[in-house]
Amino acid sequence: MASYPKETAMGWIDNHREQIAKINDEIWNYAEPALEEFKSSKLLADELESSGFQVTRKIASLSTAFIATFGSGNPVIGIIAEYDALPGLSQKAVTYRDPVIAGGPGHGDAHHCYGVASTAAALGLKEAMKQHDLTGTIKLFGTPAEETLYGKVEMANAGSFDGLDAVLSWHPGAENTVRVGSSLANNSVKFVFHGKPTHPGISPELGVNALSALEVMETAVSLLREHFPDAVRVHRVITDGGKAPNVMPERAESWYYVRAPTRPMVDSIYARLVEAAKGAAQAVGTTVDIELICGIREVLPNKALAEIQFQNLQLVGPPTFSEEEKTYARQLQASMGGESKEPLRENISPLQTITGRYSTDSAEVSWLAPLAGLYVTIFPQGVPPHSWQATALGTTGIAHKAVMVAGKVLACSGVDLLTQPEQLSKIRDEFQEKTKGFKYSPCVPLNVSKVE
Ligand SMILES: [Zn+2]
């Protein structure tokens, strides 16, 4: 038997290296997008259940969510797992564009690594609890649909994250670090314009062009951008622009993300977009439906918890990569049009305090329990997540090594939270101070709501 709980946890993870890599690759192969992660969630939930965790499957309306619990009593330590893929990013593990299924989903944000490393951490931590008689509860949260910013919102609303003392999470990244900065709050919203179809050559005067209204809105939003504060990000895709040039579009649809450093900023920019949509509809003579899909907060950082994760990152050490792996990374960098001497970060960067220009539904959890985010190198420098190049890394030795490091850091952080009550009090004090007077409710009504 190992001498220390951390050694036991890390030893368990080391001894299951092959099994962990196999699960990683299987989930990468499934490449199931948001709310369709049936096989991915089952694989992880089954693994935990067969190892003695009590598993509750399906949370609220989320068929692919689960909660796996081990132990009893306090403290209650949460670990977050994700496993959804991204649309359009199907890609084989090669350094040139070659999808497995053209246009299909792929793990361009390495959430398959996220899910399996968190699961490994829970299992390693369980082993340490058993062998060293540590008391407390581990709850692994299988959280679907992160990429649509939805899964954790519904789980939060269902009370899944109530009663937690602290929550551990991580994300595949381009460096090895822990972030104590925030993220951007976000609204996801669709604008659907309805016009009247006609033959645009023979009888244009009889039609109302829904696409024209969408374009007026586009122009208005483009002009509004100069008034947006720094760090605001408003981006969109046009999901319906009509079907053929000789049929005046009856329907046109755009899908926006409104991101800003705080919820009130998102609310005020969102209100401007709603006015722009209404104005555009009026100008062209269409109607507009506004479908507010979901909204999330910015991450509430917890420095005391971040420091524990950071200490354990130093204890475990960053991944180191072979020449072959670095060559693969360089080829992916070249496919993006760049190359650096250091393709993959192998050092530990200092604690990051800046606000990340991304949004995550983990933010909802961070307002319910102290949360910190570890990052471990998977992506080469200059290779962004949400690219086919990112998908191409998913089953490589690079990904497998990152998963091992992340799993160990989370497990060791869990040991600290279970065995160092004074550290946990510090974390709780910081959390309570920052959430004084805060009462959780979803930022926008759950499910699609038609505002107009
Ligand atoms: Zn992600």
Side-chain angles (χ1 to χ4, degrees), residues 174 329 331-336 379-385 387-390 393:
Q331 285 168 356
L332 288 173
Q333 287 177 321
S335 76
M336 289 294 304
F379 307 128
Q381 294 295 300
V383 171
S387 62
W388 66 258
Q389 288 87 347
L393 286 153

Side-chain angles (χ1 to χ4, degrees), residues 82 109 111 146-147 171:
E82 294 175 2
D109 207 22
H111 286 184
E146 195 286 327
E147 295 292 2
H171 201 288

Side-chain angles (χ1 to χ4, degrees), residues 182-184 230-233 235 259 261 354-359:
S182 189
S183 64
L184 299 178
D230 287 351
V232 167
R233 297 281 191 277
H235 27 236
R259 304 187 204 242
I354 51 162
T355 292
R357 301 295 190 251
Y358 59 89
S359 308

Side-chain angles (χ1 to χ4, degrees), residues 79-129:
I79 302 175
I80 291 177
E82 294 175 2
Y83 32 74
D84 58 330
L86 280 159
L89 290 181
S90 175
Q91 168 67 26
K92 292 178 188 162
V94 293
T95 57
Y96 48 89
R97 184 64 165 134
D98 188 8
V100 180
I101 300 166
H107 273 291
D109 207 22
H111 286 184
H112 65 302
C113 297
Y114 189 158
V116 72
S118 296
T119 301
L123 293 168
L125 184 56
K126 183 214 95 175
E127 198 57 30
M129 287 174 76

Side-chain angles (χ1 to χ4, degrees), residues 76-79 139 141 160-167 365 368-370 428 431:
V76 185
I77 308 304
I79 302 175
K139 277 188 169 186
F141 296 93
S160 299
F161 306 115
D162 294 350
L164 295 169
D165 288 293
V167 184
V365 185
L368 289 162
R428 298 290 316 165
F431 177 73

Side-chain angles (χ1 to χ4, degrees), residues 182-194:
S182 189
S183 64
L184 299 178
N186 193 338
N187 270 7
S188 169
V189 55
K190 283 184 179 175
F191 297 93
V192 189
F193 295 91
H194 300 282

